[in-house]
Amino acid sequence: MFNLMKKVLVLGAAGFVGNHLVTRLKNDGCYVVGIDLRLPEFNKSCCDEFILGDLRNLDFCLQTISAGFDELYQLAADMGGAGYIFTGENDFNLMHNSAQINLNVVSVAIKHQIKKVFYSSSACVYPKHNQMDPNHPTCTEQSAYPADPDSEYGWEKLFSERVYLAAAKNHQLQVRIARFHNVYGPLGAFNNGKEKAPAALCRKVAEAQNNTSIEIWGSGTQTRSFLFIDDCIDGILALMDSNYSLPVNIGSEEMISINDFAKLVIKIANKNLSINHVIGPVGVNGRTSDNTLVKRELGWSPKTSLEQGITKTYTWIENQISKLFLAEINGK
């Protein structure tokens, strides 16, 4: 029976997307090995084997990535939300750490002839000059060139895309590349300085007392689309099951301003809160997924509305904050 199971390796298995991916793969009957620097923070991993280690170390990669895997999912990266990516304070680490991981992983995947490799890229690869108009950003896959990402994080993602595509060209490595657009949901960071906008706003609203205010960085007129984690996993697996080998958007086309997004969270929380705009890193003025290509090639589109997904996410974050509050009261 074991020999009939697909053996899968997930790198970054303790991360937000990686953790959810492991659970889905296990539910689908795969034998899953996970690798990360740490264990998942909010749940116990479903991995059959979980290996702690640093993928920046080539010797470690050579020891743990073997020829026995049918599929490899590479989600390990140095990353975070706007407060981590756009301040400029982490630029070297963002580029060096993630590039080192990807160079190691792709080299070992070639060496052991891994059958198929998934790489998680980002919508941050798209040029900032195409995202100046908050109401009409351009994020079609082909618009990534001429390249002009708005952050070093985006530049590294674009570089690593090209590394995987070069491996496909020169070494016949089967690669699948997804450009994620603001994935959110339960089990994600919400209070460690690396949280993204959905989790940060849910936390701020959950912590706020009625008839007070929450802070938003910038004017709040900047627009984004947000993809619920279950839909993201569906998209990853659809891509891996396809024959499409070029980068493709995995995101939602339900664009919303940050002001309106905050109002949605406040409505879900059933609170009376005002919004206080403060200076802070905000990224591009507008960004949303263009799903024309992914619909045509994979037949995939998100199933979860923003309100449905945020309701689930807000409820989870509110519960986590309540647990932290009770633990503090009890001195634990």
Side-chain angles (χ1 to χ4, degrees), residues 166-204:
K169 178 182 179 180
N170 296 149
H171 298 279
Q172 293 72 55
L173 189 68
Q174 283 199 60
V175 299
R176 302 291 182 265
I177 300 172
R179 292 173 179 165
F180 292 157
H181 287 252
N182 292 307
V183 184
Y184 73 96
L187 304 181
F190 66 93
N191 65 349
N192 67 357
K194 288 191 173 185
E195 64 272 17
K196 296 188 176 182
L201 285 170
C202 285
R203 184 200 73 239
K204 290 177 181 180

Side-chain angles (χ1 to χ4, degrees), residues 117-138:
V117 174
F118 170 84
Y119 172 59
S120 58
S121 187
S122 167
C124 289
V125 303
Y126 290 117
K128 56 188 175 185
H129 58 258
N130 285 341
Q131 300 170 88
M132 299 301 289
D133 183 347
N135 297 312
H136 301 95
T138 300

Side-chain angles (χ1 to χ4, degrees), residues 212-251:
T212 60
S213 66
I214 61 168
E215 290 186 347
I216 285 182
W217 291 343
S219 67
T221 58
Q222 63 270 29
T223 57
R224 295 292 186 273
S225 65
F226 302 100
L227 181 69
F228 190 59
I229 183 61
D230 292 353
D231 292 322
C232 177
I233 302 302
D234 287 342
I236 293 172
L237 298 181
L239 179 57
M240 284 294 273
D241 287 341
S242 77
N243 293 317
Y244 194 76
S245 58
L246 296 176
V248 63
N249 286 329
I250 299 292

